Amino acid sequence: MNEIASPELDWWTLLTDPDYLTDPHPHLKRIREKGQVHYDPASDIYFVLGHEAFSSMVRAPQMGRDTRLWTNGWSRPESKQRDPLSYELFSEFQRQMVNSDQPDHRRMRDVYEKAFRPADIPPLRPMIEAEARKLAEDLPDGTPVEFMTAFANHLPLRVVRNLFQISPDMDPKLAEWNAALVKIGDIMMSQEQKREALEALRAYKDFLRGHLEACRGNPDNRLIGLAIEALDNGIMDEDETLNNLKGLVSGNETTVNVLGNGLLTLVNHPDAMQKLRSEPALMRTAIEEILRYEPAINFILRVAIEDFDCCGTSIPKGSLALGLICAINRDPERFSEAESFDIARRPNAQYIFGGGPHVCIGAALARLEVEVALSVLLERFSRIELTGDPVWWTDRTNQRGLQSLPVRFTR
Ligand code: HEM
C-alpha cells in the first residue's frame, strides 16, 4: 500500500482532459487498482484515491486546509512576486473557516454551527418545498426543456437567499458572482478568470457588508444575527465575517451539481427511478447513492502541517494532497459492487462532504434540498426522460456538474 510514483502518468494533462472531466470513472479505476496514494513528482502533489487513505487523511490533525503552508503553492507569501494576481485573489478570500487550521477554524465554525445543527434544518422544509414547487410548475409538460437553466440553477440560490433574507432582486447578481467564483479552487484558472473572481469577490463582500448593517436589530435573521454578534464581540473581525458569509451564501453551487447529476443518474437507471416512485421511503438512501455514484466535486484538498503517514505513504510537511472523490466513492475495498447504482445501499460511507473537522457545514441542508427537489419532480411528473446528450462542464476541474441536461417531463 506504499506510495506509487507514476512518472508515466501525466496527472496535469489527465485532470484537465475533457474526456476525463466527462467521465473520470474508468481512468480512476485503472489508477486506483495500482495503489491508494500516488505521488506526482512533476507537480509534487499526492493524489489519494483509496477510501481508507482518504478517511485517515481528513481526520488527521497533521493534515489541514491552510494552503499558505503548501511549500510550492501560490498562496505562500513568497509567491507574491512570482504571481501577484493569484496572491491578491488568495489573500482576499483566505480568512475563513474552510481555509484555516486550528484554533482559528474552530473559533469561526463555532459561530455558524449554531444555525446548522440537526434540529435547525427540518423547519426549512416548507420554504424549500414552496420554491421547488414554483419551479416545477413552470416546467413544460411533454416538451423538451434544459433542466439546469430551468430548475437546478435556481433552487439552491433561492433557498440560500431566503435563509439570509436577501432580496430576490439580487438573484441575477448573486448568480453572476457565483459563476465567477466557482473557478476559485480550480487548477485551470486563466489570468482573466482570476481578475473576474477578484472583482466578484470584492463586490460580494461589499454587498454583504451593507446587508449585515441593514439587518442589524432584526431578530428573525438568525444567521446574520450570529455573524453580527460574533463581529461585535470581537470573535471574528470584519474580513473573516464577510468571507465566511460569502462561503455560506455561495455554497449552493455544488447543490446545483447534485440536482443535475442526480436527475441524470435516475433517468439513466429507469428501474431505480421506478423503484423510488413505488417506494418513496428509499429517498434518503437513494440520495446518498447519488452522492456516491456521481459526486458533485472532483477533489478535496489537504496540506500537511506535519509529516503524515497515510496508509503507508509518507506525506511530508508542506505537501499538497488531493483526494479524488470519484475514485474514493467507488473504492471496491469499501463498497461492494462499487460500480453499480443501488438506491437501497446501506451502509454508504460516501465522501462528497469531506470529513473530519472541516466536514461540510451545509450537508444536511444540501441533502434536504435534493430530497425535496427530487420528491417534487417525481410526484408531479409520471415520466422523465432524456431528449439529447447531457453536457458536462469540461472547464471546471474541481467541481463535477452538468452544463446542460435536456429532458422531457410528462405529467
Ligand atoms: C451538495 C452540496 C455540497 C457539497 C458537495 C459540499 C461539499 C463540501 C466540501 C467537500 C467541503 C470541505 C470538506 C473537507 O475539506 O473535508 C465543504 C465545506 C463547507 N461547506 Fe459545503 N458542500 C455543499 C453544500 C453546502 C451548502 C448548501 C453550504 C452552505 C449553506 C455549504 C457550506 C460549507 C462551508 C461553510 C464549508 C466549510 C466548513 C469548514 O471548513 O469547517 N456547503 N463543503
Side-chain angles (χ1 to χ4, degrees):
M1 212 176 293
N2 287 331
E3 148 205 339
I4 301 194
S6 321
E8 79 286 358
L9 185 60
D10 181 343
W11 278 95
W12 225 244
T13 304
L14 176 73
L15 297 180
T16 56
D17 177 4
D19 278 349
Y20 170 86
L21 290 164
T22 298
D23 185 9
H25 302 292
H27 300 272
L28 293 172
K29 182 171 187 281
R30 196 169 28 83
I31 303 167
R32 193 190 47 232
E33 276 162 7
K34 295 187 187 155
Q36 289 206 39
V37 184
H38 292 245
Y39 174 62
D40 176 31
S43 61
D44 193 23
I45 294 176
Y46 289 79
F47 292 97
V48 177
L49 286 80
H51 192 281
E52 186 190 351
F54 185 72
S55 191
S56 76
M57 175 171 94
V58 289
R59 287 177 175 79
Q62 300 95 315
M63 300 298 286
R65 283 207 54 127
D66 186 342
T67 52
R68 288 173 302 179
L69 303 181
W70 172 24
T71 312
N72 293 327
W74 49 274
S75 41
R76 274 180 87 78
E78 293 85 335
S79 309
K80 198 170 172 178
Q81 306 295 333
R82 185 161 41 97
D83 186 352
L85 181 58
S86 291
Y87 187 75
E88 203 180 347
L89 173 60
F90 172 78
S91 304
E92 191 67 47
F93 72 80
Q94 196 279 325
R95 303 182 66 235
Q96 54 180 311
M97 59 181 126
V98 75
N99 298 321
S100 303
D101 294 338
Q102 308 311 342
D104 290 330
H105 169 259
R106 202 11 81 192
R107 169 175 59 82
M108 293 188 254
R109 184 161 169 136
D110 275 348
V111 171
Y112 296 96
E113 226 169 35
K114 291 182 203 120
F116 287 96
R117 292 165 308 190
D120 296 311
I121 304 305
L124 302 175
R125 184 183 282 269
M127 177 272 281
I128 300 172
E129 249 167 21
E131 293 292 358
R133 283 192 203 289
K134 261 189 266 171
L135 286 163
E137 276 159 23
D138 288 343
L139 292 172
D141 181 10
T143 50
V145 64
E146 201 288 285
F147 179 68
M148 303 310 289
T149 42
F151 189 101
N153 290 344
H154 303 288
L155 181 67
L157 182 74
R158 291 185 187 182
V159 167
V160 88
R161 67 109 150 99
N162 288 342
L163 204 58
F164 286 89
Q165 299 185 8
I166 295 172
S167 157
D169 298 346
M170 283 302 293
D171 282 3
K173 262 291 162 215
L174 294 178
E176 183 191 317
W177 293 333
N178 286 344
L181 292 173
V182 83
K183 291 298 292 179
I184 292 183
D186 208 306
I187 57 175
M188 320 189 264
M189 210 177 167
S190 68
Q191 291 296 97
E192 183 55 26
Q193 286 166 333
K194 286 176 194 165
R195 257 186 294 276
E196 283 169 11
L198 187 58
E199 243 171 65
L201 191 53
R202 288 185 172 148
Y204 225 128
K205 284 164 79 172
D206 283 345
F207 162 72
L208 288 170
R209 188 180 295 110
H211 186 60
L212 213 63
E213 283 313 310
C215 293
R216 263 187 193 278
N218 174 358
D220 298 339
N221 200 333
R222 176 147 167 76
L223 263 161
I224 297 283
L226 290 171
I228 293 174
E229 193 184 307
L231 179 62
D232 291 351
N233 293 342
I235 293 169
M236 291 189 298
D237 65 23
E238 193 196 53
D239 196 44
E240 289 172 335
T241 308
L242 297 178
N243 272 326
N244 279 307
L245 277 178
K246 199 274 330 154
L248 288 163
V249 177
S250 63
N252 57 64
E253 279 299 311
T254 29
T255 319
V256 170
N257 292 342
V258 178
L259 293 175
N261 299 4
L263 192 68
L264 174 63
T265 307
L266 287 176
V267 293
N268 278 340
H269 295 85
D271 291 351
M273 178 142 65
Q274 195 43 50
K275 192 164 182 201
L276 194 53
R277 284 184 187 285
S278 52
E279 288 179 63
L282 287 175
M283 187 53 94
R284 293 269 164 92
T285 50
I287 287 168
E288 291 312 294
E289 183 66 345
I290 284 169
L291 296 171
R292 183 193 75 85
Y293 187 81
E294 212 51 280
I297 47 167
N298 280 324
F299 52 77
I300 295 179
L301 71 83
R302 286 293 183 275
V303 180
I305 302 167
E306 297 294 342
D307 293 354
F308 174 61
D309 180 336
C310 186
C311 286
T313 295
S314 171
I315 301 185
K317 175 178 176 176
S319 304
L320 180 73
L322 297 180
L324 301 181
I325 300 304
C326 288
I328 292 158
N329 274 4
R330 293 197 187 187
D331 183 345
E333 288 192 18
R334 186 67 174 83
F335 301 98
S336 59
E337 305 287 328
E339 299 295 325
S340 313
F341 180 65
D342 173 5
I343 59 167
R345 185 182 292 275
R346 241 183 231 267
N348 190 342
Q350 58 79 19
Y351 258 127
I352 193 178
F353 295 113
H358 287 278
V359 67
C360 177
I361 206 171
L365 172 62
R367 283 184 169 109
L368 181 61
E369 284 181 55
V370 180
E371 181 190 330
V372 167
L374 292 180
S375 304
V376 164
L377 292 171
L378 291 178
E379 194 186 293
R380 184 170 173 85
F381 300 104
S382 62
R383 266 174 68 189
I384 308 175
E385 60 209 329
L386 270 186
T387 56
D389 289 335
V391 181
W392 292 91
W393 288 105
T394 52
D395 63 349
R396 294 178 179 180
T397 57
N398 53 338
Q399 297 219 351
R400 173 158 171 74
L402 289 161
Q403 196 172 347
S404 104
L405 176 56
V407 281
R408 178 168 34 236
F409 292 97
T410 310
R411 293 201 73 180

